[in-house]
Amino acid sequence: MFESMHRGAVANIPLAVSAVTYGGVLGVLSAQQGTSWLEILLMDVLMFAGSAQFVMVEMWEAPLPVLQIALAVFAVNLRYVLIGASLRPVFSGHPLWQKALLMHLVADENWAVTIAEHRKNGTDPYFLFGGGLLLLCAWTGGTLAGNLLGAFIAEPEKYALDFAFVAVFAALTLSLWRGLKTDLLPWLVAAALSLAAEHFLPGKWYIVIGGVGGALAAALSFKSEVFFAEQRK
């Protein structure tokens, strides 16, 4: 267990460095919105979902729109249904309580690293958990530092800090590319649906629509390949 956790933490070190950076951006933005360090700490520990926290901070103003925030966070975090499903092979053979406990520390970053490692060498949930613990510490440290220093950085975009979040996820996406034949169709479907939904629908539904559409495209593509392979036999 501890060996897997250590391996997972080591594998996520580069991403943890990035998490400190864009966590600091979130902290700065939260300070400008009037969010206290305690409130951002509770977000980190209880939610631990960077993109959803960015959404929350953007909407954090008096009077607090609780229902709108809840719906927006729900929409953004729906992708974890797909993430959880993709981790089924990693959690195979483990009891439900372990799945529920360890899934709390699943982030996009350690999920991507775990999936890549599982495809290469196979791994277990503790690899995922070790990376999650490291990312949680890095993320919390970054957001708290940014929140406390937010008054001194009035324009984070001036230093391109707002691009750190985008850059990390672009790198993660490319790391999961397995080849033109395998990934081209679902990636194109996900991108097209996301762009269309972002243009025509309010809020963050484009994340869910793109993710679900890409997943369905991949599933249908796989089933069609299996079907035609059987027909050729």
Side-chain angles (χ1 to χ4, degrees):
M1 178 178 75
F2 293 108
E3 181 183 354
S4 291
M5 289 176 61
H6 178 261
R7 286 175 51 242
V10 170
N12 280 272
I13 287 175
L15 296 172
V17 175
S18 300
V20 172
T21 303
Y22 59 81
V25 175
L26 176 63
V28 170
L29 296 176
S30 69
Q32 294 172 351
Q33 290 289 93
T35 309
S36 70
W37 69 267
L38 180 58
E39 289 167 335
I40 197 68
L41 175 61
L42 289 174
M43 282 187 204
D44 291 341
V45 175
L46 299 178
M47 182 182 295
F48 188 46
S51 53
Q53 288 179 241
F54 270 96
V55 172
M56 284 187 69
V57 166
E58 288 177 7
M59 302 174 69
W60 198 271
E61 56 185 23
L64 200 64
V66 177
L67 180 59
Q68 290 90 332
I69 288 177
L71 289 174
V73 169
F74 174 75
V76 172
N77 283 343
L78 269 176
R79 72 189 188 282
Y80 281 103
V81 175
L82 300 175
I83 287 175
S86 71
L87 287 170
R88 183 178 178 182
V90 177
F91 281 97
S92 178
H94 291 264
L96 180 60
W97 70 268
Q98 282 189 359
K99 297 176 184 178
L101 178 63
L102 300 182
M103 276 295 294
H104 179 64
L105 289 185
V106 173
D108 299 272
E109 296 89 342
N110 64 324
W111 164 76
V113 171
T114 300
I115 290 295
E117 177 67 16
H118 189 72
R119 287 173 179 171
K120 293 178 182 177
N121 306 310
T123 189
D124 57 38
Y126 299 108
F127 182 94
L128 179 77
F129 186 64
L133 280 177
L134 178 68
L135 289 170
L136 175 61
C137 293
W139 176 251
T140 302
T143 55
L144 288 177
N147 183 271
L148 295 173
L149 298 174
F152 303 99
I153 308 177
E155 300 178 18
E157 65 277 2
K158 182 178 179 180
Y159 306 98
L161 295 178
D162 55 332
F163 186 69
F165 194 69
V166 178
V168 168
F169 281 91
L172 286 174
T173 301
L174 291 175
S175 72
L176 293 174
W177 177 263
R178 294 177 297 174
L180 190 64
K181 182 179 179 181
T182 305
D183 290 330
L184 183 60
L185 177 62
W187 283 40
L188 287 176
V189 170
L193 289 176
S194 296
L195 289 171
E198 194 275 335
H199 182 73
F200 292 108
L201 297 177
K204 306 295 181 180
W205 287 102
Y206 62 90
I207 298 175
V208 179
I209 292 172
V212 172
L216 288 175
L220 291 174
S221 177
F222 175 75
K223 286 189 175 182
S224 65
E225 288 180 6
V226 172
F227 173 78
F228 286 118
E230 290 177 349
Q231 292 300 311
R232 285 194 293 268
K233 292 179 181 179

